[in-house]
């Protein structure tokens, strides 16, 4: 089954006299009169395309606003049987003059599409899309060859459309060498094609029109508008930036290296005793980095909820491995093993050391005691002594007239040798350290469930999409992860008024 930009590619054919089509096609090797436009298979039985493509397929005027009463023929050019046509009825119709979601049609197939087609994944991207490289698969009207075209995101224009920039390169010029001068241009015939964002691994819109006066300008309907037109459209809400995989990998590597180094340090001995402070510092490292790494894994799994389990694990160092491949699954297993499980096991060892092997000391003078009175003190210029009430979760009541202390270096934690202790805050510090470790563990469990369970989470979330006109507003990683709202960020409905002359494809 195809994944990525090759998944869900559909082609809408002109429904007419097949014998006449064959006679016209035989007159020229480059003519393809049956081509009306492109579409995207979004479920095994549903294709989304442009309303004017349906009009062309049915032999009507492009601007016809009447709901169609006949089915259209759909083929899947990248499937195992690219010539097999499947009839499809129009179940959603938004004519080209619709105020909010113009030029959108949803088709329902008479039978499930072949599994080899795959399903196009649409993403509602909240982070900025400026200059993102985009890929579109389609064909020029009247031409026989299918081709990938590369373009760039520019920004929203008036109404529901988004402008695409001059095309930066032809991804595969060898497919249609005779059309090389036109291969980099989105023109008539590409309407209805999904616009694939290379760096986001998602389709962010659908081609709908081009500028009849400027060849290098085309337009798309963003995924948010498509969802508004058809609320059943399967979508992923992408909250994370393009640099997420690199950020997560850096934090996860630092976590693994730090925890492993401190674990090895704990195995060494100081004057015949194990090093107690290495686990103590390891608890602090995990409290910060472990929680962040777990949170980001959960956010990533949520962003890729329609993908397979391996795609829901962040890609190590953003290595460009094909999603769904065996290499991707192996990489995901190794990532979880070394960057998640190993630090967690070491953290459990450090918690054991904290609770069962370290000791808590006080400065006796601050609490009205003497070193000779408390005994078993660590010999140093200012001795540190144990006390029956001094513990991880208890404090010492000072003897009058001493005032005791808490924040002013009154307690120490560590071993029983000079130089093996550090300032400590009873009750507060161990509870915070172990509490954050528990939070990290709970987030990891939630991330694990999101990664390997393909069930519907809808009963546990609010469907408050708001107005999904634009989905490129920013948000912090913490808010995306810890406050998982599906509410879309709203950009102004009309960011600029582009006075251009557009022709429907």
């Amino acid at each position: 089954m195809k994944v990525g930009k090759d998944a869900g590619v559909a082609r809408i054919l002109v429904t007419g006299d097949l014998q006449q089509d064959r006679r016209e096609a035989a007159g020229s090797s480059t003519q393809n009169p049956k081509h009306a436009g492109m579409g995207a298979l979004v479920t095994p039985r549903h294709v989304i395309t442009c309303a004017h493509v349906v009009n062309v397929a049915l032999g009507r005027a492009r601007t016809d606003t009447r709901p169609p009463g006949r089915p259209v023929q759909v083929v899947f050019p990248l499937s195992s049987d690219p010539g097999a046509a499947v009839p499809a009825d129009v179940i959603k119709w938004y004519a080209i003059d619709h105020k909010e979601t113009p030029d959108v049609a949803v088709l329902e197939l008479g039978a499930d599409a072949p599994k080899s087609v795959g399903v196009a994944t649409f993403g509602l991207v909240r982070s900025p899309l400026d200059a993102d490289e985009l890929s579109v698969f389609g064909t020029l009207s009247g031409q026989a060859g299918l081709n990938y075209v590369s373009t760039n995101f520019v920004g929203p224009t008036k109404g529901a459309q988004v402008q695409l920039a001059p095309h930066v390169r032809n991804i595969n010029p060898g497919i249609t060498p005779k059309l090389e001068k036109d291969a980099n241009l989105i023109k008539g015939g590409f309407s209805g094609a999904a616009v694939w964002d290379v760096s986001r691994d998602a389709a962010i819109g659908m081609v709908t029109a081009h500028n009849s006066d400027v060849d290098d300008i085309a337009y798309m309907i963003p995924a948010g508008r498509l969802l508004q037109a058809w609320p059943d459209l399967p979508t992923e809400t992408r909250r994370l930036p393009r640099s997420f995989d690199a950020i997560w990998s850096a934090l996860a590597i630092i976590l693994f290296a730090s925890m492993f180094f401190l674990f090895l340090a704990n195995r060494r001995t100081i004057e015949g005793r194990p090093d107690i402070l290495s686990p103590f510092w390891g608890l602090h490292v995990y409290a910060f980095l472990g929680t962040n790494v777990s949170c980001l894994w959960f956010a990533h799994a949520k962003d890729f909820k329609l993908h397979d389990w391996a795609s829901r694990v962040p890609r190590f160092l953003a290595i460009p491995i094909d999603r769904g491949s065996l290499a991707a699954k192996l990489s995901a297993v190794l990532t979880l093993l070394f960057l998640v499980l190993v630090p967690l096991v070491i953290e459990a060892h450090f918690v054991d050391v904290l609770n069962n092997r370290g000791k808590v000391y006080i400065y006796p003078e601050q609490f009205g005691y003497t070193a000779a009175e408390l005994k078993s003190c660590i010999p140093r210029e200012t001795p540190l002594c144990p006390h029956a009430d001094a513990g991880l979760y208890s404090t010492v009541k000072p003897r009058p007239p001493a005032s005791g202390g808490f924040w002013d270096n009154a307690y120490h934690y560590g071993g029983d040798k000079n130089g093996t202790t550090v300032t400590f805050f009873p009750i507060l510090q161990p509870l915070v350290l172990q509490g954050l470790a528990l939070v990290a563990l709970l987030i990891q469990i939630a991330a694990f469930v999101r990664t390997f369970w393909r069930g519907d989470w809808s009963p546990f979330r609010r469907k408050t999409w708001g107005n999904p006109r634009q989905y490129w507003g920013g948000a912090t990683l913490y808010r995306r992860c810890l406050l998982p709202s599906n509410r879309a960020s709203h950009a102004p409905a009309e960011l600029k008024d582009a006075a251009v002359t557009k022709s429907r494809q």
Side-chain angles (χ1 to χ4, degrees):
M1 185 176 68
K2 288 182 171 56
V3 296
K5 62 182 175 58
D6 298 332
V9 174
R11 189 178 179 193
I12 315 301
L13 303 181
V14 173
T15 303
D17 186 344
L18 298 182
Q19 294 298 327
Q20 179 65 22
D21 288 344
R22 294 191 185 99
R23 288 195 296 269
E24 293 182 4
S28 172
S29 61
T30 61
Q31 292 298 313
N32 184 19
K34 293 181 65 177
H35 178 74
M38 303 299 295
L41 184 71
V42 293
T43 79
R45 284 221 174 188
H46 295 93
V47 172
I48 193 165
T49 185
C50 293
H52 76 267
V53 170
V54 174
N55 283 334
V56 172
L58 297 178
R60 311 195 307 177
R62 295 172 183 265
T63 57
D64 198 330
T65 60
R66 296 172 300 164
R70 291 186 295 149
V72 296
Q73 299 296 317
V74 181
V75 296
F76 303 99
L78 299 183
S79 69
S80 56
D81 189 4
V86 181
D89 295 316
V90 179
I91 61 170
K92 285 288 183 178
W93 176 259
Y94 294 87
I96 62 174
D97 62 348
H98 194 275
K99 292 182 179 180
E100 293 186 359
T101 54
D103 203 15
V104 177
V106 179
L107 313 178
E108 185 173 48
L109 304 176
D112 286 356
K115 291 184 178 180
S116 60
V117 177
V119 175
T121 302
F122 280 85
L124 310 176
V125 181
R126 292 188 178 182
S127 55
L129 293 171
D130 292 344
D132 271 22
E133 184 180 346
L134 312 175
S135 174
V136 181
F137 184 80
T139 184
L140 301 176
S141 294
Q143 303 293 352
L146 292 163
N147 201 19
Y148 285 101
V149 168
S150 181
T151 183
N152 282 83
F153 174 88
V154 176
T157 62
K158 183 177 181 179
Q161 294 180 339
V162 168
Q163 181 178 328
L164 306 180
H167 316 289
V168 295
R169 63 183 175 87
N170 180 24
I171 295 179
N172 196 341
I175 296 179
T176 54
K178 294 181 180 180
L179 309 175
E180 187 170 355
K181 66 187 180 93
D182 291 328
N184 283 346
L185 305 177
I186 296 178
K187 291 187 175 180
F190 278 87
S191 287
V195 180
W196 183 260
D197 192 313
V198 176
S199 61
R200 316 277 181 168
D201 283 316
I204 62 170
M206 179 180 71
V207 175
T208 184
H210 74 278
N211 192 313
S212 60
D213 296 329
V214 184
D215 283 338
D216 282 340
I217 294 180
Y219 302 90
M220 76 172 185
I221 301 174
R225 290 283 188 173
L226 299 178
L227 179 65
Q228 189 177 31
W230 189 42
D232 293 331
L233 175 68
T235 56
E236 294 176 335
T237 302
R238 296 294 176 80
R239 303 165 180 81
L240 303 175
R242 283 174 292 184
S243 57
F244 170 81
D245 285 330
I247 294 173
W248 186 87
S249 297
L251 291 176
I253 290 173
I254 294 173
L255 173 64
F256 171 80
S258 300
M259 296 294 284
F260 192 68
F261 173 80
L262 292 170
F263 175 76
L264 294 179
N266 175 236
R267 310 308 296 173
R268 68 189 176 98
T269 58
I270 299 177
E271 297 184 9
R273 299 293 182 88
D275 179 14
I276 297 298
L277 289 186
S278 293
F280 182 75
W281 295 124
L283 291 169
H284 289 78
V285 170
Y286 197 87
F288 175 73
L289 289 180
T291 305
N292 278 271
V293 168
S294 303
C295 181
L296 294 179
W297 173 25
F298 177 85
H300 184 274
K302 185 170 66 171
D303 275 16
F304 285 79
K305 65 179 182 179
L306 298 181
H307 284 68
D308 69 307
W309 71 266
S311 299
R312 300 178 194 178
V313 178
R315 289 190 292 191
F316 179 67
L317 296 179
I319 297 175
I321 302 176
D322 290 338
R323 297 191 185 276
S325 65
L326 179 61
K329 291 180 172 59
L330 179 60
S331 175
V333 169
L334 294 177
T335 296
L336 293 180
L337 177 62
F338 286 99
L339 300 185
V340 176
L341 182 59
V342 169
L344 179 62
V345 172
I346 295 176
E347 169 71 0
H349 169 71
F350 288 171
V351 170
D352 175 69
V353 173
L354 174 72
N355 286 281
N356 299 310
R357 305 184 193 180
K359 296 181 180 180
V360 178
Y361 300 90
I362 62 172
Y363 283 115
E365 291 80 4
Q366 291 187 232
F367 293 87
Y369 296 95
T370 65
E373 182 181 2
L374 294 179
K375 301 179 181 179
S376 302
C377 298
I378 299 177
R380 43 181 283 173
E381 183 178 350
T382 304
L384 285 168
C385 302
H387 188 280
D389 294 333
L392 294 176
Y393 310 102
S394 61
T395 58
V396 176
K397 184 177 181 180
R399 178 187 294 173
S403 60
F406 187 83
W407 304 106
D408 51 351
N409 196 31
Y411 294 86
H412 271 229
Y413 170 85
D416 55 4
K417 301 294 181 181
N418 189 23
T420 63
T421 64
V422 68
T423 301
F424 178 72
F425 304 100
I427 303 175
L428 177 64
Q429 197 166 4
L431 289 180
V432 170
L433 292 177
Q434 295 176 94
L436 289 175
L438 178 61
V439 169
L441 176 61
L442 294 177
I443 295 175
Q444 286 181 21
I445 293 174
F448 184 88
V449 172
R450 272 207 175 267
T451 298
F452 292 97
W453 183 49
R454 296 187 63 87
D456 183 13
W457 285 72
S458 58
F460 307 101
R461 60 185 175 91
R462 296 175 300 165
K463 290 189 175 181
T464 53
W465 290 101
N467 181 5
R469 291 184 177 181
Q470 313 294 344
Y471 289 89
W472 37 80
T476 62
L477 292 180
Y478 271 113
R479 191 174 67 186
R480 294 173 187 138
C481 180
L482 299 179
L483 301 176
S485 171
N486 287 323
R487 192 182 303 276
S489 58
H490 308 313
E494 297 178 2
L495 299 184
K496 59 180 179 179
D497 185 1
V500 296
T501 303
K502 298 188 292 292
S503 65
R504 297 287 167 182
Q505 304 172 57

